[in-house]
Amino acid sequence: MIGDFSPEEKDGFYKAVFSRRDVRSHFTPEPIDEQVLTRILNAAHHAPSVGFSQPWNFILVKNTDTRKQVKDSFDKERIRSSALVEDPKRSKYLSLRLQGIMDCAVNICITYDPTKFGPFVIGRSSIPETGIYSVCCAIQNLWLAARAEGIGVGWVSILSNDDLKKILEIPDHVVPVAYLCLGHVSNFADKPDLESAGWLPRLGLKDVVFYEKWNNNSDPNWQEIHQMIISNLDYA
């Protein structure tokens, strides 16, 4: 595993990055092979973490009744959040398929435990949020590994953490960070669902890169990369 990546391995990595999708509506009933699921979890567990604290835990959920309770929380939160926007945006929001809780092979709740290895974690004292950021790195590892294995992942964020903690009996000090749906899919869409639906556009790389200082994108010392960024490399 140590050493440079071959051109084929690099292509495989970028394929996973650019073809990863937040899956909500293409799950099939096929179960995930347990060896595949274990590899995906192991990839997540090998994410970087602040102070090597590994502050994550993974709760695997297959039970139908448990999932139904989570789905009820989603339905409640979806209606509540729809009141934050007005029509026609509200109607469009309510028309979107935003979860696959009951349709996928397995749900996974990924949590953050700030007490692992005691109160002092190298690198966390100045920026406490780095603990949560570490869990997000594990989530990204999981997502890319799943895509490489042909497994779709959907992140359900329209949920109440209070509900999740009750349903999954999560200790008070542990924070639910992500509730994921994993399963085989009929296809991976060419573009993210919300982009295809016209909810928000894909920003160009040129719109999000600055040089040296905030909102500076024309520093002459960066002309070569500036021109490449302006070309807006294909992402898929």
Side-chain angles (χ1 to χ4, degrees), residues 181-234:
C181 302
L182 276 73
H184 289 276
V185 294
S186 57
N187 67 286
F188 288 94
D190 292 336
K191 293 184 177 183
D193 289 350
L194 293 180
E195 182 182 6
S196 297
W199 184 258
L200 288 174
R202 164 75 65 174
L203 295 175
L205 182 59
K206 63 182 177 59
D207 300 318
V208 297
V209 177
F210 302 143
Y211 309 110
E212 306 293 356
K213 296 181 185 297
W214 180 263
N215 213 26
N216 178 25
N217 56 13
S218 58
D219 191 307
N221 295 317
W222 294 83
Q223 279 305 305
E224 185 174 357
I225 191 170
H226 180 67
Q227 291 303 316
M228 287 189 286
I229 287 173
I230 287 175
S231 71
N232 202 16
L233 303 175
D234 289 340

Side-chain angles (χ1 to χ4, degrees), residues 9-234:
E9 289 169 333
K10 291 178 184 178
D11 287 345
F13 170 75
Y14 285 110
K15 179 179 179 180
V17 169
F18 293 134
S19 64
R20 180 211 58 80
R21 294 290 176 263
D22 193 353
V23 178
R24 285 87 181 271
S25 57
H26 303 292
F27 289 112
T28 71
E30 181 183 356
I32 301 175
D33 182 271
E34 292 186 353
Q35 288 188 349
V36 171
L37 180 58
T38 302
R39 284 198 297 269
I40 292 170
L41 290 169
N42 198 33
H45 183 52
H46 280 75
S49 61
V50 62
F52 199 51
S53 57
Q54 305 150 76
W56 43 70
N57 285 94
F58 308 92
I59 305 174
L60 310 184
V61 181
K62 286 191 176 182
N63 181 273
T64 300
D65 291 338
T66 303
R67 290 207 243 182
K68 180 63 168 60
Q69 292 179 64
V70 176
K71 172 66 163 48
D72 289 344
S73 178
F74 165 84
D75 290 335
K76 178 180 66 178
E77 290 298 310
R78 175 171 165 269
I79 296 300
R80 185 191 65 79
S81 60
S82 71
L84 301 175
V85 291
E86 297 181 354
D87 277 327
K89 199 106 175 175
R90 180 178 184 273
S91 295
K92 188 168 189 177
Y93 167 71
L94 290 173
S95 73
L96 296 170
R97 178 65 185 272
L98 299 175
Q99 57 78 31
I101 296 168
M102 305 302 297
D103 306 321
C104 66
V106 62
N107 294 182
I108 302 179
C109 182
I110 305 181
T111 61
Y112 167 56
D113 183 352
T115 68
K116 278 192 180 180
F117 298 108
F120 180 74
V121 172
I122 293 175
R124 199 179 66 187
S125 58
S126 297
I127 307 175
E129 295 84 1
T130 51
I132 294 284
Y133 302 160
S134 299
V135 177
C136 291
C137 288
I139 295 164
Q140 181 76 338
N141 268 21
L142 183 151
W143 219 327
L144 294 177
R147 179 63 189 91
E149 295 281 2
I151 301 298
V153 177
W155 186 333
V156 185
S157 57
I158 306 173
L159 288 173
S160 162
N161 270 2
D162 289 339
D163 288 346
L164 278 182
K165 294 183 85 162
K166 290 176 184 176
I167 295 166
L168 301 179
E169 300 180 4
I170 297 171
D172 288 341
H173 71 280
V174 174
V175 181
V177 177
Y179 195 87
L180 306 178
C181 302
L182 276 73
H184 289 276
V185 294
S186 57
N187 67 286
F188 288 94
D190 292 336
K191 293 184 177 183
D193 289 350
L194 293 180
E195 182 182 6
S196 297
W199 184 258
L200 288 174
R202 164 75 65 174
L203 295 175
L205 182 59
K206 63 182 177 59
D207 300 318
V208 297
V209 177
F210 302 143
Y211 309 110
E212 306 293 356
K213 296 181 185 297
W214 180 263
N215 213 26
N216 178 25
N217 56 13
S218 58
D219 191 307
N221 295 317
W222 294 83
Q223 279 305 305
E224 185 174 357
I225 191 170
H226 180 67
Q227 291 303 316
M228 287 189 286
I229 287 173
I230 287 175
S231 71
N232 202 16
L233 303 175
D234 289 340

